[in-house]
Amino acid sequence: MNYDASDRYGSYGGDVLATNWKTANKIAAAEVEATRDLVVEEVGTGFCGAVVRIEGRLVELEDRFGKVRAFPLGAGFLIDGKPVVLKHPAAAAPTGLVRTASGSVAVAGHKARVARASRIYVEGRHDAELVERVWGDDLRIEGVVVEYLSGIDDLEAIIRDFAPTPDRKVGVLVDHLVKGSKESRIADAVARGKHGGTVLVVGHPFIDIWQAVKPARLGLSAWPVIDRGIEWKHGICQALGWPHEDQADIARAWKRILSTVNSYADLEPVLLGRVEELIDFVTAE
């Protein structure tokens, strides 16, 4: 029997084994760089949010309610309903103005200035680490050293020993500086004292510097309220379901919080203004 090979399979349209029939109707996922503010949907959970951070092989997404979740980079995401593979953003040469984490214009090739005689003091190690993370580049360019006090109960004595002058000023950042607090009484006493003109004490209203980090960065709508009589940091960790038995647990909790801070945009505005005020004060010539 003679027949044309093109008629071999008749109306069935050819040999289904001639191609990979398992993937014939699947759409190839495009590779997309996980750049900040890119909005994607994670297929497995349906979580939809904007890219806010890349940490190792994880991408953090923030939804419209401020909740943040982390997912592995790679396949399993949608953009406008189409499958994509998220990958690390390519390192690009900076164009135009480059800014530091504080939002200041970065000065290319600028070496750190020799440390000034003036100082900025903060209450504790966590305060110092947060200031360094956001304002570190600015402080090095300006030659400003930040030291921590482990509390401000002895602030008047510390300032007296430092003996500030117009060329050797002191700026102090205080936690929980609200009307009627112990901190406000100490700050007022310093302002009225002998060195009031060469010392600037400013503060934020938060019980602890942890609260200066926007709660949304941790997937929270607000920081938990801790009852009086409970050590605040331990209470926070307990409320969030984090280990809190000893100081090592508290240190790990802080590292977790600090890791969510990449720039000034991750901090509450009330803290930003106070730190900028201190830097201006101790660098004014």
Side-chain angles (χ1 to χ4, degrees):
M1 180 177 178
N2 295 322
Y3 58 89
D4 191 305
S6 63
D7 295 329
R8 182 177 178 183
Y9 301 104
S11 61
Y12 293 99
D15 184 358
V16 296
L17 300 180
T19 60
N20 188 347
W21 59 274
K22 291 183 179 180
T23 60
N25 295 319
K26 292 186 178 180
I27 301 173
E31 288 194 346
V32 176
E33 293 182 1
T35 54
R36 190 175 180 89
D37 297 328
L38 176 71
V39 177
V40 300
E41 178 183 347
E42 200 277 327
V43 174
T45 61
F47 187 86
C48 184
V51 174
V52 293
R53 188 165 178 261
I54 301 291
E55 178 69 21
R57 291 296 303 165
L58 296 178
V59 57
E60 292 185 1
L61 306 179
E62 180 177 355
D63 70 10
R64 61 194 180 95
F65 302 107
K67 184 177 182 179
V68 177
R69 293 187 62 178
F71 301 96
L73 286 166
F77 297 93
L78 302 175
I79 295 180
D80 296 330
K82 297 179 181 179
V84 297
V85 176
L86 289 186
K87 64 179 184 178
H88 270 281
T95 59
L97 293 179
V98 178
R99 296 191 177 274
T100 66
S102 72
S104 302
V105 176
V107 182
H110 195 288
K111 294 182 179 180
R113 175 173 174 162
V114 175
R116 296 172 184 265
S118 298
R119 291 287 185 272
I120 290 178
Y121 287 99
V122 297
E123 281 206 60
R125 183 184 296 276
H126 295 176
D127 305 64
E129 290 176 345
L130 185 62
V131 169
E132 164 61 26
R133 191 171 184 92
V134 176
W135 288 274
D137 290 340
D138 307 62
L139 293 169
R140 280 181 284 279
I141 288 175
E142 295 291 349
V144 177
V145 174
V146 174
E147 300 183 19
Y148 63 92
L149 301 169
S150 297
I152 65 165
D153 289 350
D154 299 322
L155 183 59
E156 290 183 83
I158 291 169
I159 290 174
R160 184 173 58 252
D161 292 343
F162 188 89
T165 68
D167 297 321
R168 179 181 160 86
K169 292 181 284 189
V170 173
V172 185
L173 179 67
V174 178
D175 297 340
H176 199 226
L177 190 61
V178 296
K179 187 175 181 179
S181 67
K182 174 192 72 175
E183 291 80 3
S184 68
R185 292 192 292 272
I186 293 173
D188 289 343
V190 169
R192 294 192 304 267
K194 173 182 177 182
H195 302 291
T198 53
V199 177
L200 176 64
V201 181
V202 301
H204 56 75
F206 308 119
I207 295 173
D208 190 274
I209 197 69
W210 290 18
Q211 286 182 298
V213 178
K214 291 180 177 178
R217 297 298 177 262
L218 296 163
L220 305 173
S221 58
W223 283 94
V225 176
I226 307 303
D227 293 336
R228 292 193 177 192
I230 298 176
E231 202 285 324
W232 191 84
K233 289 174 180 170
H234 286 268
I236 287 293
C237 291
Q238 184 177 29
L240 296 179
W242 297 353
H244 56 282
E245 295 302 319
D246 53 31
Q247 192 55 39
D249 288 333
I250 302 304
R252 282 189 287 270
W254 168 240
K255 292 300 182 186
R256 182 173 180 175
I257 295 167
L258 187 62
S259 72
T260 69
V261 178
N262 294 304
S263 77
Y264 71 95
D266 299 316
L267 302 180
E268 296 291 356
V270 67
L271 176 67
L272 303 178
R274 301 294 74 76
V275 176
E276 297 289 348
E277 187 177 357
L278 288 177
I279 294 173
D280 289 345
F281 178 74
V282 298
T283 57
E285 297 177 349

